[in-house]
Amino acid sequence: MSRNVFVLTGAGVSAESGLGTFRDKAGEGIWARFDPMALATPEAFARDPRRVLAFYDARRRNLLGAQPNPAHHALARLEQGLAASGGKLTLVTQNIDDLHERAGSKDVLHMHGELLKARCELCDAVGPWTGDLTVDDVCPACHSVGALRPHVVWFGELPLHLDEIEAQLRRADLFVAIGTSGAVYPAAGFVAEARAQGVATCEINLDAADNAFLFDDARYGPASEIVPLFVDELLAT
Ligand code: OAD
């Protein structure tokens, strides 16, 4: 049985909860309908903060009405099952939603940040934020006006928790990527790092990822069906 399992999730794990993916074969993903350079960069925020905030307000409202699906629940079960047998799950997500936590996962590394948090650009304080965010809001920590932004990583910014992620990647004996297109680095490069260390790699996805050739094993289908079966398999061996 694999004892140290490293799971990287992407938008595909939350697709069946009603949260859109960014890229898909049908060309209907979020970035086919909205320009990421106008909505998800520090420059866009400096230029037109109201437009950027409105985009994230809509996504936050959508998230508050969504529920975790069987894939999220299965990963919470994997965390408990591995811990009970002396192992460990490292769950790294590119998703800014909180559906892993709401399904019961205790330890989640959000490398692209969290939509239900706001950060102050002046004092760097990060705190919970479930309502809309406006240019008039006051930072609860330093009381500055107009310096709050969604606690999410934008294009051109460094992802979060990279040191911890690297350390856990080195300890893994199985690497699994779920519902991610393998298009955005550094996350898309984790599988190559795992391989270079001789770690077994598995892809679970609806469509083959851009880096599919780097995986030893692949299971294609909806995450809500494939992930629970995969977790059953892992916990049974
Ligand atoms: P993408 O939208 O690029 O890819 C979603 C993946 O999920 C694709 O491979 C789909 O085939 C797959 N998928 C869709 N529905 C699925 C389902 N029901 N079950 C399983 N798989 C399914 O999303 P990410 O790879 O997560 O970054 O995108 C990476 C980053 O790009 C995001 O974190 C975001 C975006 O720009 C930032 O905003 C910084």
Side-chain angles (χ1 to χ4, degrees), residues 9-13 15-16 21-24 31 40 56 59 94-95 112 153-155 178-184 204-209 221-224:
T9 62
V13 84
E16 291 161 85
T21 60
F22 296 95
R23 304 163 190 84
D24 62 21
W31 294 150
Y56 286 95
R59 295 187 62 193
Q94 297 164 88
N95 299 342
H112 289 168
V153 173
W154 285 325
F155 289 100
I178 304 175
T180 176
S181 61
V184 174
I204 296 176
N205 222 345
L206 203 54
D207 308 302
S224 67

Side-chain angles (χ1 to χ4, degrees), residues 26-182:
E28 289 163 2
I30 294 172
W31 294 150
R33 289 176 288 128
F34 301 98
D35 176 7
M37 293 305 120
L39 295 167
T41 66
E43 293 78 14
F45 186 57
R47 206 165 43 234
D48 193 348
R50 286 182 176 81
R51 183 175 180 196
V52 171
L53 292 176
F55 173 70
Y56 286 95
D57 286 348
R59 295 187 62 193
R60 193 182 299 105
R61 286 190 217 132
N62 195 21
L63 169 58
L64 292 172
Q67 297 299 328
N69 69 54
H72 299 105
H73 287 291
L75 290 170
R77 190 157 56 81
L78 181 61
E79 182 181 58
Q80 285 166 12
L82 286 172
S85 61
K88 176 175 165 58
L89 173 68
T90 298
L91 179 54
V92 175
T93 187
Q94 297 164 88
N95 299 342
I96 58 176
D97 65 58
D98 65 340
L99 297 183
H100 284 307
E101 286 89 345
R102 280 200 259 151
S105 288
K106 299 279 179 257
D107 199 358
V108 187
L109 292 169
H110 282 272
M111 63 180 292
H112 289 168
E114 295 170 81
L115 185 55
L116 298 183
K117 291 184 179 169
R119 183 168 82 240
C120 177
E121 290 204 302
L122 290 177
C123 77
D124 269 344
V126 175
W129 202 277
T130 52
D132 287 353
L133 198 50
T134 74
V135 293
D136 302 317
D137 281 315
V138 178
C139 170
C142 72
H143 309 295
S144 305
V145 179
L148 291 177
R149 57 167 278 182
H151 182 50
V152 300
V153 173
W154 285 325
F155 289 100
E157 295 182 323
L158 206 58
L160 309 173
H161 312 297
L162 287 181
D163 290 347
E164 169 74 3
I165 289 170
E166 290 295 329
Q168 294 304 336
L169 255 182
R170 280 195 292 275
R171 287 187 198 115
D173 45 41
L174 174 65
F175 174 90
V176 188
I178 304 175
T180 176
S181 61

